[in-house]
Amino acid sequence: MTMTFRPPAVPLVTVDPYFSVWSAADQLYEDHTRHWTNKTQGMVGMAVIDGKIRRFMGKIGLHDRSANVVEPGILVQTSLTVEPVTTRYTFEGEGIELDVQFTTPLLLDDLELLSRPVTYISFHVRAIDHRKHEVKIYFDVTGEWCVNTASQQVTWSSSVIDNQLHALSMGTVEQPILKLAGDDTRIDWGYMYLVVPLSPHSKAAHHSISGREHYARTGQLKVEEDEDNPRAVSENMPVMAVEMDMGLVEQETACRYLLLAYDDIHSIEYFHQPLNAYWRKDGMTFHHMLVMAGQQYEEISQRCQIFNRELLEESQAAGGDSYRDILALTYRQAIAAHKLVADHDGSVLFFSKENFSNGCIATVDVSYPSIPLFLRYNPEMVKGMMRPIFKYAKSSEWAFEFAPHDVGTYPKANGQVYGENKLEYQMPIEECGNMLLMAAAVSKFEKHAEFAREHWEHLKKWASYLLQHGLDPANQLCTDDFAGHLAHNANLSIKAILGIASYAYMCEQLGMREDETLYREAAAKMAQEWVSMAEADDHYKLTFDSQDETWSMKYNLVWDRLLDFNLFPKEVAERELNYYKQKQNRYGTPLDSRDTYTKSDWLVWCAFMSESKEQFEQMILPLWQFMNETTSRVPVTDWYDTLTGQQMNFQNRSVVGGFFIHLLNKGTSHSHSN
């Protein structure tokens, strides 16, 4: 029997780092909906059933005025199901059942569709008491969705598109396109859209928080199209609302849907040039995109249902019920922590935002843990992560022999902006190893090394750097930098050795026999030396010069198996995993002997090295328990305490793509078909 899973936060609208709204409550009506940064970006849903007004989503009143607002009674939430691209809530009351579905069609084999800034919300109503009921659905979104702070002024308009859609839109008066950069920020340019198919059964209008309160009392939609337009979001908050008349509902289900969409105009600044979202690359207009999204609703819904079913079945077969639930919750998060754009030559660029860790864009050591998901469904996305790094490394702005850590602060990919480019803030071994391993993984899953050939100059330089400095790393940062600098880092040394082997592997694919032999033999010799340097009786040490009691998760070892290098003796992973079992707390194995916190991406990578499905499930059950029980109600954090289940920092990061590593099936690529 499947256990009931309570996500720490539930994905509702998940498109990109700016267009990303979640519910952090057990019931959808317990709290306002929120942007992943925790700031309120409100949505309210009400149903009018035979004249009785019942709330099923959000709160009517705002925090600063809720004392004066009487919240209507609720439709009781009876179930919540989170699937890879769909979240489904069911409510009951007054003789009806209401099913509300949020679907963002993030299908990685269809980049045009994936990059459309659209989430579908559908409503399915049926009578469950053998009677007939008059039902209307009210839905709204606030001006909070298109500002960074509520003091900003917004303006709004309404239009009919191609005689098919009624579109309400809202955006800031100022329109500071691509001006704002940082971590805890929300978009304040472009236009938020609420779109409904044109129908005599639907009414859409701009109004306000007081208009929402009026509806909650009377069930009547109050139109305020041009009252005080424009005004600040903090002043009688502007709202876009729609009312859908479901008619006289019987046992047969009545259905309606709407679209939430965001026109960001320009998405990314790329070395001082604005770039558009990928779906715009052939000149499509926003309105045309909306029309297509409406026309394809049924087809897209079916494709999403098929994909949900396939991924749920595959993940359960690979790792059991807990693994299925973890992947279902994190699929959209992993993708929507990126923005997909096209370079001026049409190349795919896939920019991550380093959410709640420092806001960096295209961070290499955020890309590296995320790639299993993208290797599984479309390696082009991994290439899209790497291209900005190669471009920056080629520029005169980059002075180092090793690979860069990032290319700026989201959404400005203009080059590094922190630490004055000082060596002490760089991650030399980490990023060289990451880029080489990612390039080798792309080569393996594409079954050719043409992408590596395009960037050979840098891959060769970085492999040479690892050959000189990788076996016993000097004092430096690594991806786990929140734990501080380390010298002689044993896990980082593994990355360097496998990075060198990755280069040899690509040399082999490209017929470069001399370098292949040189680097492969060097990697094999270094792996042998590593075993004796890190040896500590029943496990391997944190650093080569530390006491035998120290230890760390050797997650980088996973590529020795995935890429079929087999440089390290099999017993290294076996011994390590047995040791981790002794160190496991309620919410998982700590990252290393220095503290009780863990990184969940690395936890799953270590679990993947298990010899049996049973061992894998034992290692990831604590991660499921953490998600199910944590009081840190945020989009999945990858850094938390294994004793308390408390978030340390980080949330909604793309690294959860690493959880999908068990679907790589020992390195065999699959392609998803519709």
Side-chain angles (χ1 to χ4, degrees), residues 375 379 436-452 502 505-506 508-509 558-566 664-670:
L375 292 172
L436 286 156
L437 280 158
M438 288 162 71
V442 166
S443 301
K444 182 168 187 76
F445 281 79
E446 287 198 320
K447 298 185 167 57
H448 61 77
E450 291 313 303
F451 179 70
S502 294
Y505 170 73
M506 292 181 284
E508 178 191 20
Q509 286 182 300
V558 77
W559 295 104
D560 196 33
R561 170 172 160 180
L562 268 174
L563 297 173
D564 296 323
F565 296 156
N566 302 310
L664 291 182
N665 202 16
K666 296 193 173 69
T668 307
S669 183
H670 311 264

Side-chain angles (χ1 to χ4, degrees), residues 160-166 195-199 291-292 294-295:
V160 172
I161 304 173
D162 281 11
N163 219 26
Q164 295 180 51
L165 303 172
H166 188 177
V195 183
V196 67
L198 205 57
S199 158
V291 169
M292 283 182 64
Q295 290 172 342

Side-chain angles (χ1 to χ4, degrees), residues 249-273:
V249 173
E250 303 182 55
Q251 283 171 284
E252 188 80 14
T253 303
C255 304
R256 297 271 190 277
Y257 77 93
L258 57 83
L259 290 76
L260 293 182
Y262 206 103
D263 181 3
D264 65 2
I265 305 172
H266 298 308
S267 299
I268 296 289
E269 188 173 297
Y270 190 47
F271 297 103
H272 308 288
Q273 296 293 314

Side-chain angles (χ1 to χ4, degrees), residues 325-546:
D325 290 347
I326 290 167
L327 297 198
L329 176 60
T330 53
Y331 178 87
R332 275 173 282 170
Q333 175 175 320
I335 299 170
H338 295 85
K339 187 69 181 180
L340 179 63
V341 302
D343 199 351
H344 294 300
D345 62 3
S347 299
V348 168
L349 300 176
F350 196 44
F351 289 100
S352 62
K353 180 178 182 187
E354 199 175 324
N355 291 335
F356 269 30
S357 38
N358 66 5
C360 281
I361 188 169
T363 303
V364 177
D365 56 291
V366 168
S367 295
Y368 167 73
S370 80
I371 65 172
L373 169 61
F374 305 105
L375 292 172
R376 167 63 181 81
Y377 290 108
N378 191 346
E380 188 62 38
M381 312 306 275
V382 182
K383 290 149 71 172
M385 297 174 197
M386 298 175 74
R387 287 184 179 112
I389 299 295
F390 283 124
K391 186 178 175 83
Y392 185 35
K394 279 180 190 169
S395 74
S396 58
E397 299 291 307
W398 186 249
F400 298 110
E401 288 295 293
F402 48 80
H405 166 268
D406 65 272
V407 295
T409 302
Y410 194 94
K412 294 176 184 279
N414 296 328
Q416 262 186 27
V417 296
Y418 62 89
E420 302 170 348
N421 275 10
K422 288 180 180 172
L423 180 62
E424 68 196 89
Y425 296 110
Q426 303 300 332
M427 300 186 188
I429 303 295
E430 182 74 50
E431 308 306 17
C432 288
N434 288 340
M435 288 295 282
L436 286 156
L437 280 158
M438 288 162 71
V442 166
S443 301
K444 182 168 187 76
F445 281 79
E446 287 198 320
K447 298 185 167 57
H448 61 77
E450 291 313 303
F451 179 70
R453 191 195 300 275
E454 288 172 40
H455 302 286
W456 199 249
E457 176 194 346
H458 284 91
L459 293 173
K460 184 179 176 69
K461 183 195 292 187
W462 297 335
S464 172
Y465 185 90
L466 293 181
L467 203 57
Q468 293 173 60
H469 305 286
L471 176 61
D472 189 3
N475 191 34
Q476 63 191 271
L477 286 173
C478 72
T479 190
D480 306 316
D481 59 357
F482 46 81
H485 286 59
L486 274 182
H488 320 294
N489 183 333
N491 184 48
L492 190 59
S493 174
I494 293 173
K495 178 169 285 179
I497 294 164
L498 295 176
I500 291 164
S502 294
Y503 179 73
Y505 170 73
M506 292 181 284
C507 286
E508 178 191 20
Q509 286 182 300
L510 294 172
M512 301 176 179
R513 299 291 173 228
E514 195 175 323
D515 266 9
E516 178 206 342
T517 303
L518 174 68
Y519 279 83
R520 177 162 290 141
E521 287 176 356
K525 183 168 180 286
M526 290 163 82
Q528 276 183 329
E529 291 179 61
W530 183 95
V531 172
S532 58
M533 289 162 70
E535 176 81 52
D537 189 27
D538 59 349
H539 68 284
Y540 298 88
K541 294 186 283 192
L542 169 66
T543 63
F544 297 133
D545 62 339
S546 61

Side-chain angles (χ1 to χ4, degrees), residues 534-589:
E535 176 81 52
D537 189 27
D538 59 349
H539 68 284
Y540 298 88
K541 294 186 283 192
L542 169 66
T543 63
F544 297 133
D545 62 339
S546 61
Q547 301 296 312
D548 282 4
E549 302 81 60
T550 67
W551 58 277
S552 62
M553 287 205 282
K554 308 298 191 298
Y555 54 82
N556 287 315
L557 260 182
V558 77
W559 295 104
D560 196 33
R561 170 172 160 180
L562 268 174
L563 297 173
D564 296 323
F565 296 156
N566 302 310
L567 293 172
F568 290 84
K570 201 175 170 193
E571 56 266 23
V572 172
E574 288 174 3
R575 201 189 286 186
E576 282 288 294
L577 262 64
N578 286 332
Y579 194 77
Y580 304 158
K581 192 175 177 183
Q582 299 170 37
K583 299 295 179 183
Q584 186 170 293
N585 294 322
R586 174 160 182 81
Y587 299 118
T589 306

